[in-house]
Amino acid sequence: MLKMRLLIVSLMLNSGLALAEVSASRQIELTHLLKQDCGSCHGMTLKGGLGPALLPEQLDGKSTDYLVMTILEGHPNTAMPGWKTMLSTDDALWIANQIKQGLD
Amino acid sequence: MIRTALISLTLLFITPTLTLAAEIRGTGDLGLVIERASGSIQIIETTNNSSLGRVEGLGDLSHASAVYSRDERYAYIFGRDGGLTKVDVLTQKIVKRTLQAGNSIGGAISQDGRLVAVSNYTPGGVKIFSSKTLELVADIPATYGDKGQTSKVIGLVDAPGQKFVFSLWDADEIWIADMSKPDKPQIQKFNDIGRNPYDALISPDGRYYIAGLFGEDGMALLDLWHLDAGVKRILNNYGKGEQKLPVYKMPHLEGWAMAGTHAFVPAVGRHEVLVIDTQTWTEAGRIKVHGQPIFVMARPDGRNVWVNFAIPNNDTLQVIDTESLKIIKTLQPGKGVLHMEFEPRGEQVWASIRDDDQLVIYDTDTFEEQLRLPANKPSGIFSTARAHKTGL
């Protein structure tokens, strides 16, 4: 199911269609989560900490699908947890796109 | 005549000093609060519970901690960006600041107060500085393996005998740096201590160093009185065969939550606080709590232990009675409860509430809220009383 959604997501990305719908208020929450909670391992400015840096140059060459999957499912045998209990696929996609572009 | 002249001269010298230091005060009731998003600290005092001012320009404090000089006047603040800043908490000024690494996690001050050590992620290792000048005294890269890799360093504490003890996240090692001769650090290494030590603490007497393990169950114990005995694995059977929850934030092992012969530590990836019998180093109990514990801190008298939690349960504080091992109070101070600090003798506790931009103070007997103070995304709270405590 997740794979299916990711596939749809990649199709949408590839065909340049509108990105997933994430409401403005949810975007504020996600930005907060990204800086504060992802930030507790990756650094508040995402320059890295116990976890690796998540700046655009580090993510170059990593597909959005891969990032979405990592956010939702985590990385086995590392400290990266899956966030699917707190984040939807749309949320994860929005975050993946944010970190690929870089935060302000 | 001569006397009068002398007196006048003396007055001339004294007067400007008095004017400058408008009020002569001690520093034993002072503390600082990290404001993680703005790279600033607030100076607080616990006699009347107030904020005295703010010092800015400390860089990236998104993860930060502090230690104090022996005279409790200077704070050394370790920032995420590798910044080491020496702040005069009395005059609220930065005395000196150095960017000593690319990414750091914490630090410690030596037994004699002359050295400040910083544990770094990038480049992985420990750097040791003069506490007076912040000049580099020793550089200890955390090199391991046969390819010359360096490890992230965590759990750095001071220990008696002018030592620093720390753990290597990537290398599964504990190192002791003996700084008795600052220009010739003696390093002793312990291998295979367990997978991915994530933080460590030292007992208040400076005897036992315990590293928490992220990569497997249990903890690594080093008796600094008997180094020949090596590292002992404790709580090995804890959680065997059970599925761990995703860990949304690494627990911190700060200080030593101890009451009688029991020590209290956070269980990684579980909604539990673990109780260790410090006579036998075996599990003496598990206490079900509200979420994944981050800080498990004993009130200075050891009667209660206060616990905060990882997201999504970080709006709650719980208090455990150390005799009955029961939760006696659950508080909901606000969103993003990041840290607690007891007043020096424990009658009140300060907590930082990140998302509400507040500090909250509770009476630790009645659990009644005393006061809220504004703070900008507060995280760690560090009182000068730490100056004379090993490991803090």
Side-chain angles (χ1 to χ4, degrees), chain A residues 32 36-37 44 48 50 82 85, chain B residues 36 62 103 121 152 248 355:
Chain A
H32 182 81
Q36 305 295 336
D37 298 304
M44 199 172 58
L50 197 60
T85 57
Chain B
R36 66 195 300 267
S62 59
N103 197 319
Y121 283 169
K152 291 172 178 147
Y248 295 117
D355 297 354

Side-chain angles (χ1 to χ4, degrees), chain B residues 317-336:
Chain B
L317 276 171
Q318 285 189 314
V319 185
I320 296 167
D321 175 71
T322 55
E323 268 187 332
S324 65
L325 306 186
K326 297 241 180 323
I327 290 168
I328 53 167
K329 190 71 187 177
T330 298
L331 298 161
Q332 292 199 304
K335 273 192 75 184

Side-chain angles (χ1 to χ4, degrees), chain A:
Chain A
M1 185 58 199
L2 180 63
K3 277 202 173 142
M4 190 59 149
R5 289 189 73 174
L6 287 178
L7 183 65
I8 295 167
V9 159
S10 2
L11 285 173
M12 282 163 66
L13 285 176
N14 292 339
S15 54
L17 289 175
L19 293 178
E21 294 287 325
V22 175
S23 71
S25 62
R26 184 62 178 159
Q27 289 185 17
I28 292 170
E29 288 171 11
L30 292 178
T31 304
H32 182 81
L33 180 119
L34 179 57
K35 287 186 181 172
Q36 305 295 336
D37 298 304
C38 303
S40 58
C41 275
H42 296 283
M44 199 172 58
T45 53
L46 305 183
K47 285 179 190 157
L50 197 60
L54 299 178
L55 300 173
E57 49 267 37
Q58 275 87 30
L59 301 177
D60 199 28
K62 294 202 164 45
S63 74
T64 309
D65 288 5
Y66 171 81
L67 295 178
V68 169
M69 187 63 109
T70 304
I71 292 167
L72 293 175
E73 301 293 333
H75 249 310
N77 303 319
T78 74
M80 176 66 185
W83 293 78
K84 62 186 173 192
T85 57
M86 279 175 250
L87 298 175
S88 69
T89 308
D90 286 349
D91 290 340
L93 176 61
W94 188 85
I95 288 173
N97 282 314
Q98 287 297 114
I99 57 178
K100 287 203 102 179
Q101 284 167 27
L103 292 175
D104 300 335

Side-chain angles (χ1 to χ4, degrees), chain B residues 297-299 301-306 319-322 328 364 367:
Chain B
M297 302 178 84
R299 199 169 71 175
D301 66 347
R303 180 76 190 272
N304 293 163
V305 164
W306 288 57
V319 185
I320 296 167
D321 175 71
T322 55
I328 53 167
T364 60
F367 307 114

Side-chain angles (χ1 to χ4, degrees), chain B residues 37-360:
Chain B
S38 50
S40 54
I41 57 169
Q42 267 194 52
I43 309 293
I44 55 164
E45 58 82 28
T46 58
T47 299
N48 303 301
N49 288 348
S50 69
S51 171
L52 299 178
R54 179 176 274 126
V55 183
E56 292 175 326
L58 282 81
D60 180 353
L61 297 183
S62 59
H63 188 288
S65 61
V67 297
Y68 286 95
S69 62
R70 173 178 293 193
D71 62 9
E72 299 188 3
R73 177 164 176 180
Y74 300 102
Y76 301 88
I77 295 144
F78 313 100
R80 167 58 85 201
D81 56 3
L84 167 60
T85 312
K86 179 177 180 179
V87 172
D88 182 336
V89 294
L90 199 52
T91 61
Q92 302 177 19
K93 295 258 185 321
I94 292 176
V95 179
K96 183 104 188 186
R97 178 171 157 76
T98 174
L99 268 179
Q100 54 84 40
N103 197 319
S104 56
I105 188 67
I109 190 160
S110 63
Q111 184 177 33
D112 70 358
R114 292 175 198 278
L115 301 172
V116 171
V118 193
S119 54
N120 293 320
Y121 283 169
T122 325
V126 170
K127 283 189 182 173
I128 300 173
F129 300 86
S130 151
S131 61
K132 195 172 177 190
T133 62
L134 298 196
E135 273 163 31
L136 185 69
V137 173
D139 186 358
I140 306 171
T143 314
Y144 72 102
D146 44 18
K147 295 185 192 112
Q149 310 98 301
T150 54
S151 168
K152 291 172 178 147
V153 173
I154 54 89
L156 169 66
V157 300
D158 60 293
Q162 197 64 359
K163 288 172 181 162
F164 291 112
V165 190
F166 48 92
S167 299
L168 279 59
W169 161 265
D170 304 286
D172 310 335
E173 293 180 10
I174 293 174
W175 289 14
I176 300 175
D178 183 338
M179 297 300 295
S180 311
K181 294 180 185 133
D183 53 337
K184 289 196 187 87
Q186 299 292 314
I187 313 287
Q188 190 173 357
K189 303 177 183 179
F190 297 85
N191 301 320
D192 297 322
I193 61 128
R195 190 76 197 108
N196 286 142
Y198 66 86
D199 199 3
L201 54 75
I202 190 163
S203 56
D205 57 7
R207 175 169 177 179
Y208 297 106
Y209 178 84
I210 300 182
L213 301 175
F214 178 80
E216 53 189 288
D217 294 313
M219 303 181 98
L221 169 75
L222 187 57
D223 181 349
L224 301 179
W225 289 12
H226 297 285
L227 292 174
D228 291 346
V231 171
K232 181 181 170 184
R233 285 288 294 280
I234 58 170
L235 302 183
N236 250 352
N237 293 315
Y238 169 69
K240 275 280 178 326
E242 293 168 28
Q243 185 67 40
K244 265 190 195 175
L245 299 168
V247 178
Y248 295 117
K249 184 177 158 102
M250 280 294 163
H252 284 63
L253 301 173
E254 182 191 295
W256 180 247
M258 197 160 168
T261 57
H262 285 162
F264 297 77
V265 294
V268 184
R270 299 173 201 285
H271 292 193
E272 286 172 348
V273 167
L274 292 182
V275 189
I276 307 173
D277 181 330
T278 56
Q279 307 282 295
T280 59
W281 299 108
T282 54
E283 186 183 321
R286 304 176 187 186
I287 303 160
K288 290 260 178 250
V289 290
H290 177 70
Q292 295 183 15
I294 298 294
F295 283 100
V296 174
M297 302 178 84
R299 199 169 71 175
D301 66 347
R303 180 76 190 272
N304 293 163
V305 164
W306 288 57
V307 188
N308 73 334
F309 304 99
I311 185 174
N313 298 308
N314 60 0
D315 59 348
T316 299
L317 276 171
Q318 285 189 314
V319 185
I320 296 167
D321 175 71
T322 55
E323 268 187 332
S324 65
L325 306 186
K326 297 241 180 323
I327 290 168
I328 53 167
K329 190 71 187 177
T330 298
L331 298 161
Q332 292 199 304
K335 273 192 75 184
V337 183
L338 290 196
H339 193 224
M340 302 85 82
E341 179 82 332
F342 292 95
E343 294 196 358
R345 297 196 185 188
E347 79 285 4
Q348 295 189 331
V349 65
W350 292 52
S352 48
I353 319 298
R354 180 192 65 199
D355 297 354
D356 294 342
D357 293 308
Q358 284 180 335
L359 301 166
V360 58

